[in-house]
Amino acid sequence: MQGQCGFASIITRRALHRSRGKTPIQRGRRRERGKGRTLWYLQEEIDDPDAEKLSIFVATWNQAGKSTPKMLNFIPVGMHDAYFIASQECGASIETSVLLNYTGAWEAKLIEHFGKEYERVGSTYLTATHSILFIRSSLAAQLTRIETAYVATGVGDFFGNKGGIAISCNIGETSFLFVNSHFHADQAGVEQRNADYEKIEKRLGLRKEKDDHETRCSDGFERVFWAGDLNYRCNCNRGIAESLIRDRNLEPLLLNEQLRREMRSKKVFEGYREADIKFPPTYKFDVGTNAYDSSKKNRVPSWTDRILWRSKAKVTCTHYDSLPSVRTSDHKPVVGLYSVPWVRREKGGGGVRNTQSSACVVQ
């Protein structure tokens, strides 16, 4: 099983490649104006080996309202240009977090962990869902257009017990969107989860007109990362699932995994990609152990925690794994490492202008 040790020993250091003149990425993109914003289109994903690359670390973790580990060595600071940390049920249970914010201690711990080498680009929360984005301080001058937004999809589309939060920005000339979401639960809740995705995509008000609820928010960005507890389950007998996991024979289980089925049918996350899954299901564990659910519900182990991306130029995922050594929650954290092409802005004018956390407890 991968991921038993800290990631510092298995993550290669970044390599930046400076580009000269106009790159194929710049030549290949065209802009169309629609509904007050820029829509990006490419006929095919373009791979430019000479383009400058950002090394981006993305992590998602449902903390189950439990205390966070004292040590954060599973987040290797200093090895990457940017870090997007997406948390769900952060700091306290959803029920406890409806009226009060308990994500502050987690955010403060992360800020201390990253130190002066990194700047907080932005952070935001909705009830117990929390996101924060860091960038290497030497790249802070490349930042512009930093915004946050949220969409509640909980009870009556009013409460934030379920929903999505987003941070967007430009790094150099390249636009980025980072989304963190917590979809509806239950084995039979596939259609609800698909609806969560559609609502978040269409109601996030970043870089589109205020009343535009038809266009996907991600259509306005060149690089999109979507992480979270998406809550899709495996359609399988519990005993069979555990036998396959013990034998490390994950493919039959993945063939019956709900998110992959829905994506193949183009019912959700159309145009998004996910790296190959080579790690065991990340939910549900008995807290403090690596043993799957022993409660009366006897839940089927599932890959509820995922990281997807969408890009107009080729993004390379160099590592995708869970962290079984973290046992404080009934979910295992999932991390992905990505090599992401971007276009540097040669002159200044950017920087982190607002480091205040934005928030919504109840929509």
Side-chain angles (χ1 to χ4, degrees):
M1 186 180 297
Q2 297 183 29
Q4 295 285 358
C5 302
F7 269 105
S9 62
I10 58 176
I11 300 173
T12 57
R13 292 194 174 271
R14 64 190 177 95
L16 298 180
H17 305 283
R18 294 299 304 272
S19 57
R20 300 290 183 184
K22 185 172 284 189
T23 70
I25 295 172
Q26 291 171 302
R27 292 195 300 268
R29 66 187 184 184
R30 63 184 175 89
R31 295 188 292 179
E32 292 186 359
R33 295 288 177 180
K35 296 187 177 180
R37 69 185 189 139
T38 300
L39 302 180
W40 295 96
Y41 296 93
L42 281 179
Q43 296 300 315
E44 60 182 10
E45 188 179 69
I46 290 178
D47 182 14
D48 177 14
D50 296 321
E52 188 169 0
K53 306 296 197 305
L54 285 173
S55 175
I56 299 181
F57 176 103
V58 180
T60 180
W61 185 24
N62 184 319
Q63 299 177 8
K66 307 296 183 181
S67 299
T68 56
K70 293 181 180 180
M71 301 296 292
L72 297 181
N73 57 354
F74 57 93
I75 304 176
V77 173
M79 300 184 69
H80 306 285
D81 297 310
Y83 292 76
F84 176 55
I85 313 297
S87 308
Q88 309 83 39
E89 299 187 35
C90 176
S93 68
I94 292 174
E95 294 78 10
T96 303
S97 302
V98 167
L99 295 178
L100 293 174
N101 172 31
Y102 291 91
T103 66
W106 171 243
E107 180 166 319
K109 181 178 286 190
L110 287 170
I111 292 171
E112 181 182 11
H113 180 65
F114 278 92
K116 295 182 179 180
E117 188 179 350
Y118 289 86
E119 298 279 352
R120 178 177 59 172
V121 178
S123 59
T124 185
Y125 73 89
L126 172 67
T127 309
T129 302
H130 177 270
S131 292
I132 191 165
L133 176 64
F134 292 93
I135 194 167
R136 197 179 293 276
S137 296
S138 60
L139 293 171
Q142 293 289 323
L143 288 166
T144 55
R145 300 190 67 181
I146 303 166
E147 298 178 273
T148 61
Y150 69 88
V151 175
T153 64
V155 180
D157 288 345
F158 182 83
F159 288 99
N161 57 308
K162 295 293 184 286
I165 54 180
I167 302 171
S168 67
C169 63
N170 280 12
I171 305 177
E173 303 286 345
T174 308
S175 58
F176 285 80
L177 175 67
F178 298 88
V179 183
N180 171 18
S181 64
H182 194 182
F183 291 174
H184 278 84
D186 296 328
Q187 188 77 26
V190 176
E191 291 186 4
Q192 266 192 310
R193 291 188 274 278
N194 291 356
D196 286 335
Y197 163 73
E198 286 294 326
K199 291 173 185 177
I200 294 167
E201 270 276 28
K202 293 181 177 180
R203 294 180 187 176
L204 278 174
L206 296 171
R207 305 198 186 182
K208 63 179 185 177
E209 289 186 349
K210 183 177 180 180
D211 297 324
D212 178 7
H213 297 317
E214 297 300 323
T215 306
R216 295 201 305 180
C217 179
S218 63
D219 287 342
F221 294 87
E222 296 166 273
R223 313 283 183 267
V224 181
F225 288 93
W226 193 307
D229 179 1
L230 306 186
N231 250 323
Y232 288 92
R233 310 302 174 93
C234 292
N235 296 327
C236 186
N237 172 276
R238 168 67 184 262
I240 294 174
E242 288 205 284
S243 177
L244 291 169
I245 294 167
R246 280 195 302 270
D247 294 341
R248 300 186 180 182
N249 183 17
L250 301 180
E251 192 58 33
L253 202 54
L254 286 165
L255 289 172
N256 290 281
E257 197 277 320
Q258 292 174 349
L259 177 57
R260 288 197 164 191
R261 283 190 167 190
E262 296 302 292
M263 289 179 69
R264 284 196 297 267
S265 300
K266 297 185 177 181
K267 294 180 180 179
V268 70
F269 286 108
E270 187 172 359
Y272 285 80
R273 297 169 182 261
E274 184 182 26
D276 290 340
I277 294 176
K278 298 180 180 179
F279 51 89
T282 56
Y283 175 83
K284 174 180 171 74
F285 291 88
D286 293 337
V287 174
T289 77
N290 283 333
Y292 287 107
D293 184 23
S294 63
S295 72
K296 292 181 179 180
K297 291 187 176 181
N298 200 34
R299 294 174 181 85
V300 176
S302 296
W303 289 278
T304 56
D305 311 278
R306 313 288 277 271
I307 303 171
L308 310 176
W309 78 89
R310 186 179 181 214
S311 177
K312 315 303 182 184
K314 186 175 182 179
V315 168
T316 302
C317 180
T318 59
H319 194 77
Y320 191 40
D321 204 355
S322 66
L323 301 176
S325 60
V326 180
R327 299 170 181 169
T328 55
S329 168
D330 56 359
H331 291 251
K332 299 302 182 185
V334 170
V335 301
L337 308 181
Y338 302 89
S339 178
V340 183
W342 69 299
V343 179
R344 182 182 291 269
R345 189 181 60 254
E346 295 302 331
K347 294 185 179 181
V352 179
R353 300 181 185 278
N354 180 8
T355 58
Q356 297 299 312
S357 176
S358 65
C360 174
V361 179
V362 179
Q363 188 178 17

